[in-house]
Amino acid sequence: MPFVELDTSLPAERLPPGLALTLCNATADILGKPAERVNVTVRSGLPMVLSGSAEPCAQLIVSSIGVVGTAEQNKQHSARFFDVLTAQLGLGPERIVIRFYPLEPWQIGKNRTVMTFL
């Protein structure tokens, strides 16, 4: 059950229509998970500073069980997420940062229990 959160200083009107769904489908493909399990949040128009600059930027946070736990996995995921983000947001890769967080099944609640028991 991946969770993807995109924070950007770009105003909402500069984001492509359907960006959340595009990110959902891209995440499913990149992480090898069903789109029905991917959760996406997009927050725009945020006051942000990246690398000491307030120029337009974005931060992507990717959390998931079992697929973001190693440097080798994240290196591959990073390249693919950067391809999607630079194309969708019109930002250079130097204005985007990605953080990966591995999750354990007991850290995600669903259907009145946690994923461990589903």
Side-chain angles (χ1 to χ4, degrees):
M1 179 169 279
F3 296 88
V4 175
E5 299 174 54
L6 176 66
D7 292 333
T8 182
S9 60
L10 293 170
E13 57 271 9
R14 279 205 37 204
L15 300 180
L19 177 60
L21 186 56
T22 298
L23 265 177
C24 176
N25 292 327
T27 299
D29 182 53
I30 292 167
L31 300 182
K33 300 280 188 171
E36 298 80 35
R37 292 196 176 169
V38 177
N39 302 282
V40 175
T41 303
V42 176
R43 292 180 285 265
S44 60
L46 299 173
M48 295 176 67
V49 173
L50 177 65
S51 301
S53 169
E55 291 297 312
C57 62
Q59 171 180 262
L60 188 72
I61 300 170
V62 181
S63 307
S64 189
I65 298 169
V67 293
V68 296
T70 70
E72 286 304 314
Q73 286 174 319
N74 293 344
K75 180 180 178 185
Q76 293 175 5
H77 300 329
S78 182
R80 295 183 68 196
F81 275 116
F82 268 97
D83 289 345
V84 172
L85 293 173
T86 55
Q88 291 292 310
L89 301 178
L91 297 174
E94 73 283 355
R95 298 304 303 154
I96 300 169
V97 66
I98 302 173
R99 293 189 290 160
F100 295 98
Y101 291 100
L103 295 172
E104 297 295 330
W106 53 265
Q107 293 176 305
I108 300 171
K110 185 173 179 171
N111 293 336
R112 302 181 67 169
T113 187
V114 293
M115 294 299 292
T116 303
F117 301 106
L118 292 177

